[in-house]
Amino acid sequence: MAHFRYRGRDETGALVNGVLEANSESAAADQLMRRAIIPLSLEGVDPARQFNWRTLLARRLPLAELLMFTRQMLSLTRSGIPLLQALAGLVESQRHPLMAAALKDIVEQLTAGRTLSAALNQHPLVFTPLYVGMVHVGENTGRLDQAFERLSEHLEQEQDTRRRIQSAMRYPLLVLGFIAVAIGVLNILVIPKFAQMFAKFGAELPLPTRILIATSEFFVAWWPAILVGLVGAVVGIKFWLSTPSGRLRWDGWKLRMPIVGSIISRASLGRFARSLSMMLRGGVPVNQSLSLVADAVDNRHMHDRIIGMRRGIEGGDTISRTAAAADLFTPLVLQMIAVGEETGRIDELLDDVAAFYEREVDYELKGLTAKIEPILLVLVAGMVLVLALGIYLPMWDMFNAVQGR
């Protein structure tokens, strides 16, 4: 997928610009036309050469805030309150500054005559392409309340999945954090005291003790360089992940990670099936739905496979055959998709597929702690063993020397 910088005019005649992702220049132009933007200029850009600190440090709106906004919009649109009045009333009640600033700009754009979906599309850190696409469908069909209802259900399911994953990972991450802090305290504060005591005796120290003392001396002497190196590594990795090649490699590796790779894969496929079902039920064409859902999956490796499905469908193939060619789904899921396609109930069957993957994720998460605990136990036991050998061996030797043995 290439990136293109564009300049154009929207349906109100206002000048707009930005960067979008597409397979070719003509595909980028088609995207702009679907957004009711007439392109004036379109040129390819290489995002790997653009180091933008704002993009690097930018954070998306928390999912809980977006869900709250969606529920509020669902209630207001069902009540028959005019859209501009509803949004103006929500501006003052927003707690998150990013959402408040976005809503204030959206109100100004609606006042100038732009559509809601076009205004939402100007805030990618707040509203995803999937969100904007559903709102656009709701506007065209005159059922904006149904669009917000489906989005609310989708975001609730997404939030529930994230919470379960975070809950399962909290204990392992907490233990690893305590291990890292303990290693730092031991190397900087504890081991140097023992080294001074051993040095007074002038005895030859065993190998484990010499290794511990050398490691401690390195930490004490070079801790500023180590700290700078860690910060530089974090920034470098984040920049690498912001490039298309880096993101593709990282997302592909995540799916192959031991223990948690299968959980990430199933959770992403469940998100894909749930999102595609929502888009098809909303009346979005299959090829456009796949483009929007590919971004919702939030995994570049899967994104490219899903875009490959879209190309196959545009070439005249069926959803079931393109899904089989993507090599993402199990045979059982492929059979469910094929049945849904034959019976014309593809959206219902995709909901079943999503539920299938969500049950598997739930089962895997319940056993995740049991799988990780032995690894953590080995790490802690290894650290205690090294410390015991390094500190107590010379103490035993000194005690034996004092006893005259």
Side-chain angles (χ1 to χ4, degrees), residues 31-281:
Q31 285 190 38
L32 293 175
M33 295 300 291
R34 285 198 297 268
R35 299 181 191 176
I37 297 175
I38 300 175
L40 301 177
S41 66
L42 197 62
E43 59 180 2
V45 295
D46 184 2
R49 295 182 181 179
Q50 297 178 343
F51 189 82
N52 190 333
W53 283 101
R54 289 187 177 182
T55 303
L56 188 65
L57 301 176
R59 291 185 176 274
R60 295 193 61 87
L61 182 77
L63 185 61
E65 296 290 335
L66 183 59
L67 176 58
M68 178 62 67
F69 167 77
T70 306
R71 287 172 175 169
Q72 291 171 335
M73 288 300 298
L74 172 60
S75 300
L76 292 171
T77 51
R78 277 183 173 174
S79 301
I81 299 176
L83 186 60
L84 187 58
Q85 182 182 345
L87 287 168
L90 291 177
V91 171
E92 301 298 330
S93 64
Q94 296 303 316
R95 298 170 296 176
H96 199 282
L98 184 59
M99 175 60 86
L103 288 183
K104 185 177 180 181
D105 179 70
I106 289 169
V107 169
E108 293 176 356
Q109 293 188 55
L110 291 178
T111 305
R114 302 194 71 181
T115 62
L116 177 60
S117 58
L120 298 181
N121 197 43
Q122 300 301 313
H123 300 276
L125 293 178
V126 179
F127 305 102
T128 64
L130 179 70
Y131 198 103
V132 176
M134 278 303 301
V135 171
H136 181 68
V137 171
E139 287 177 323
N140 290 339
T141 59
R143 300 306 306 268
L144 201 55
D145 56 335
Q146 287 188 0
F148 282 116
E149 182 179 9
R150 293 191 182 104
L151 284 170
S152 178
E153 294 172 354
H154 171 74
L155 292 174
E156 285 176 1
Q157 188 67 40
E158 181 73 11
Q159 186 180 52
D160 181 61
T161 301
R162 289 188 184 183
R163 283 177 176 172
R164 284 184 293 166
I165 294 175
Q166 290 170 358
S167 176
M169 295 299 296
R170 189 175 295 120
Y171 170 72
L173 292 176
L174 188 64
V175 173
L176 291 175
F178 276 121
I179 290 175
V181 171
I183 290 175
V185 171
L186 288 171
N187 280 287
I188 296 175
L189 300 177
V190 179
I191 296 177
K193 300 295 183 182
F194 281 98
Q196 293 174 7
M197 182 183 69
F198 295 152
K200 293 178 181 179
F201 289 93
E204 183 179 356
L205 299 175
L207 178 62
T209 306
R210 295 200 301 271
I211 293 175
L212 281 179
I213 292 176
T215 304
S216 175
E217 290 175 347
F218 177 79
F219 267 87
V220 172
W222 295 96
W223 70 266
I226 294 174
L227 187 61
V228 172
L230 287 174
V231 173
V234 170
V235 174
I237 290 173
K238 192 164 185 178
F239 173 69
W240 178 68
L241 292 177
S242 68
T243 63
S245 59
R247 179 70 183 276
L248 178 62
R249 291 185 180 182
W250 167 249
D251 286 345
W253 182 76
K254 279 197 304 185
L255 301 178
R256 298 190 297 270
M257 286 175 62
I259 301 177
V260 298
S262 61
I263 297 177
I264 296 173
S265 176
R266 288 180 172 90
S268 298
L269 290 173
R271 187 182 301 119
F272 160 80
R274 185 76 67 186
S275 303
L276 183 57
S277 171
M278 181 182 66
M279 298 299 289
L280 294 178
R281 189 174 290 116

